[in-house]
Amino acid sequence: MLKFIVKLHPEIIIKSKSVRKRFTSILERNVKMILRKFDEKVAVKNNWDNITITTQLSDEQTRLTFIDELKRVPGIEQVVEVKEVIFDTLDDIYQHALGLVAPVIAGKTFCVRIKRQGTHDFTSTEAERYVGGGLNQNVEGASVKLTRPDVTVKIEIKDNRAYLLTEIHRGLGGFPLPTQEDVLSLISGGFDSGVATYHMMRKGARTHFLFFNLGGAAHEIGVKQVSYFLWKQFSSTHRVKFIAVDFEPVVAEILENIDSGEMGVVLKRMMMRAGSKIAERLNIPALVTGESIGQVSSQTLANLSVIDRVTETLILRPLIHLDKQEIISTARQIGTIEMAEAMPEYCGVISKKPNVKTRIGKVQAEEEKFDFDVLNTVVDNARIMDIREIEEATKEEVKEAESVSELPQGAVVLDIRSPEEEDDSPLEIEGFEVKHLPFFRLATQFGDLPQDKEYFLYCKKGVMSQLQTLILHEKGYLNVRVYKPSK
């Protein structure tokens, strides 16, 4: 038999009686839901100040599985492995402690710490002295040291039961799901949006995923992988939605009509407009972003203020005060770092000389050039799915498209960089034809090119060309590869 005590996050304990009762009931239900996938007969009991878990299974794999699952449940501060003892005298407690901890404290310094609830004929201090004295006398090489010992023997006594704490594991903390209202997280697959999503889940908000696709099918597969992982790890007790919006037409409209210095802020405002419409459709009261003050040009206080004015929907920014290294450290801790590192950034989306202190009047004037029918269309065409339905899709791997550094005879190079980038640094390759076709026009114009030729896509980092090649392959254009000139 295995037994665990789940300790509540401190902020739950200080809530009013009614709120605390609701939170602990929700947590109890979540724990049952998760653990009964591994043991249908697991006993989960809400004891007001903690939750006890008992399973008749005793194998090591069950123990490790239970610990791993419980450590990722929002609302749990500690997962404590315990041995439960029914006692009549202090000596009963001591005898059980001796058998359990003797191998652990042999040759080491130790102390005994006891917490007690109920009516007894001894105090907590007297119990510590009795158990500690017996261990000191009967375990070879063990010696009592009250400050900074090698081992602390922890025992909790409640009425006629003693719980000998064998190991303590740190939990996720936070509030149980869903004790807060739903939120819609703008997920891009990078470090920031993944960590922001995690923080909202930890805070007890059922967090849905909103993906603005800027990089085609390959990008969507990658973001689905990140989203599914976060949901599975930290909020699988509740259904959530994954919403995908094809934002490439919006990006194309911005690149062609908006002043370069305002592109970043206008793009964010378009995302907030779209996000607010989708949130309203789903009856979700708040958006979540991974923005942090000063991290990029659109995240200065002045620009964030301009972005916020585009909608009345609440915008939450849980990372607003964190620096990049703190965010990356959290990504490493929660397991998203490798996926975030592999997620590409998209050349041509952000202007070279962005305005870091834009004015609302200037942005509104620029947006008058924007065709809002484009935005309305992509929102109307948003694809909404239950995240559980994409489990198989998240397991897919994006195969790398073939790339070359030496061009074959007769090859045509398509420079897919933005017009601004191409103007600043025109691509010329002696002996080969070079055409400029921005990445945001590939989907609609590649089919107009002569299909009896081989095409090699080029962009500065080679990332966008890789993704666009994969997308063209999916559409049946197999005469496309990536051009990566040797340095």
Side-chain angles (χ1 to χ4, degrees):
M1 183 178 75
L2 298 173
K3 191 174 186 71
F4 305 89
I5 295 177
V6 165
K7 302 283 189 176
L8 309 177
H9 183 58
E11 287 190 40
I12 299 175
I13 296 172
I14 63 174
K15 297 292 184 187
S16 67
K17 185 176 180 179
S18 60
V19 173
R20 180 173 172 178
K21 182 179 180 180
R22 180 170 66 88
F23 277 31
T24 53
S25 296
I26 291 172
L27 182 57
E28 178 189 14
R29 184 170 64 246
N30 290 347
V31 169
K32 285 179 181 177
M33 193 181 307
I34 287 173
L35 296 186
R36 284 181 178 172
K37 292 184 293 184
F38 309 99
D39 176 12
E40 292 181 354
K41 297 181 179 179
V42 65
V44 180
K45 183 180 179 183
N46 185 351
N47 302 307
W48 178 248
D49 58 346
N50 63 55
I51 293 174
T52 54
I53 299 162
T54 306
T55 173
Q56 296 303 314
L57 304 177
S58 58
D59 59 285
E60 182 66 5
Q61 185 57 52
T62 298
R63 171 182 169 268
L64 294 175
T65 299
F66 273 37
I67 292 169
D68 179 60
E69 293 290 333
L70 291 168
K71 284 165 60 179
R72 293 185 280 105
V73 176
I76 294 178
E77 185 70 14
Q78 291 183 343
V79 180
V80 182
E81 297 182 72
V82 299
K83 181 175 178 61
E84 183 180 357
V85 175
I86 298 177
F87 69 94
D88 293 318
T89 67
L90 270 178
D91 193 63
D92 292 337
I93 299 174
Y94 158 68
Q95 293 295 339
H96 281 94
L98 177 64
L100 189 66
V101 305
V104 179
I105 66 174
K108 298 178 180 177
T109 60
F110 76 95
C111 73
V112 177
R113 293 287 180 255
I114 292 178
K115 292 182 179 180
R116 186 178 58 85
Q117 292 183 37
T119 303
H120 304 95
D121 58 2
F122 55 83
T123 65
S124 298
T125 302
E126 288 171 343
E128 289 174 351
R129 288 173 179 169
Y130 187 93
V131 175
L135 295 174
N136 188 53
Q137 292 177 16
N138 294 287
V139 179
E140 185 175 355
S143 60
V144 174
K145 185 181 180 184
L146 298 180
T147 58
R148 297 186 179 179
D150 297 326
V151 179
T152 299
V153 178
K154 296 183 178 181
I155 302 173
E156 295 187 5
I157 298 173
K158 188 171 184 180
D159 299 325
N160 68 331
R161 296 176 185 269
Y163 301 94
L164 283 67
L165 283 57
T166 57
E167 285 195 53
I168 299 175
H169 308 275
R170 184 177 179 182
L172 196 62
F175 295 146
L177 279 163
T179 52
Q180 311 303 313
E181 294 182 80
D182 288 15
V183 297
L184 185 59
S185 181
L186 278 60
I187 187 84
S188 67
F191 295 105
D192 303 344
S193 63
V195 173
T197 300
Y198 155 77
H199 278 300
M200 295 310 301
M201 291 174 172
R202 182 182 176 276
K203 260 308 189 185
R206 178 159 41 192
T207 305
H208 305 268
F209 300 90
L210 175 58
F211 168 53
F212 292 113
N213 194 335
L214 307 178
H219 187 199
E220 183 167 325
I221 290 173
V223 174
K224 281 181 177 178
Q225 288 176 334
V226 175
S227 302
Y228 183 82
F229 175 84
L230 286 165
W231 171 78
K232 188 73 173 176
Q233 289 289 101
F234 307 112
S235 69
S236 63
T237 51
H238 293 81
R239 298 181 183 183
V240 302
K241 293 178 174 63
F242 180 93
I243 303 99
V245 181
D246 178 11
F247 230 56
E248 285 187 282
V250 175
V251 172
E253 186 72 14
I254 290 173
L255 290 171
E256 290 189 349
N257 297 298
I258 303 301
D259 178 79
S260 175
E262 313 301 332
M263 283 182 181
V265 170
V266 170
L267 177 61
K268 287 289 183 70
R269 281 168 60 92
M270 295 301 169
M271 287 181 174
M272 297 308 165
R273 283 187 174 100
S276 296
K277 291 181 179 181
I278 292 169
E280 183 178 3
R281 184 188 307 175
L282 299 176
N283 197 29
I284 297 173
L287 302 176
V288 177
T289 80
E291 290 163 317
S292 172
I293 290 177
Q295 192 170 117
V296 296
S297 61
S298 64
Q299 296 175 24
T300 61
L301 286 177
N303 286 351
L304 289 173
S305 175
V306 171
I307 292 168
D308 282 4
R309 294 189 209 184
V310 79
T311 178
E312 293 184 0
T313 303
L314 176 64
I315 301 174
L316 301 174
R317 297 183 172 95
L319 312 185
I320 195 68
H321 69 293
L322 299 179
D323 60 39
K324 195 68 175 184
Q325 192 54 53
E326 290 174 306
I327 296 169
I328 291 173
S329 295
T330 303
R332 181 178 293 107
Q333 170 195 331
I334 65 177
T336 60
I337 188 167
E338 290 184 1
M339 289 180 282
E341 287 174 337
M343 197 64 58
E345 294 184 9
Y346 300 96
C347 39
V349 174
I350 300 175
S351 55
K352 276 193 170 183
K353 295 180 179 179
N355 190 341
V356 297
K357 198 172 183 179
T358 193
R359 292 176 288 105
I360 185 66
K362 171 66 174 173
V363 170
Q364 290 173 337
E366 287 297 316
E367 288 181 343
E368 289 179 3
K369 308 173 188 175
F370 187 91
D371 182 0
F372 279 91
D373 285 342
V374 174
L375 183 68
N376 294 332
T377 299
V378 299
V379 171
D380 291 341
N381 293 333
R383 289 170 287 116
I384 303 174
M385 63 199 78
D386 188 317
I387 199 166
R388 297 173 303 172
E389 297 174 3
I390 63 174
E391 180 174 3
E392 293 304 316
T394 63
K395 296 178 181 177
E396 296 181 26
E397 292 182 358
V398 179
K399 296 181 180 179
E400 187 169 344
E402 181 184 356
S403 61
V404 302
S405 57
E406 299 292 334
L407 295 168
Q409 187 175 1
V412 178
V413 177
L414 294 183
D415 184 349
I416 66 169
R417 296 175 296 169
S418 67
E420 182 186 45
E421 202 173 1
E422 194 270 341
D423 287 342
D424 287 346
S425 179
L427 180 66
E428 295 181 1
I429 306 173
E430 187 175 350
F432 293 94
E433 181 182 4
V434 177
K435 290 181 175 289
H436 182 239
L437 184 58
F439 70 91
F440 52 86
R441 291 300 182 203
L442 271 176
T444 56
Q445 296 184 12
F446 182 83
D448 297 334
L449 299 175
Q451 295 303 308
D452 58 346
K453 296 183 178 183
E454 283 190 281
Y455 294 95
F456 293 80
L457 306 191
Y458 169 81
C459 76
K460 185 176 181 181
K461 295 182 179 179
V463 172
M464 183 60 77
S465 54
Q466 179 75 231
L467 290 171
Q468 293 296 333
T469 298
L470 289 168
I471 293 165
L472 290 172
H473 284 179
E474 291 170 359
K475 293 183 176 181
Y477 298 111
L478 303 181
N479 56 335
V480 186
R481 287 184 279 176
V482 175
Y483 175 50
K484 287 185 179 180
S486 54
K487 296 180 180 180

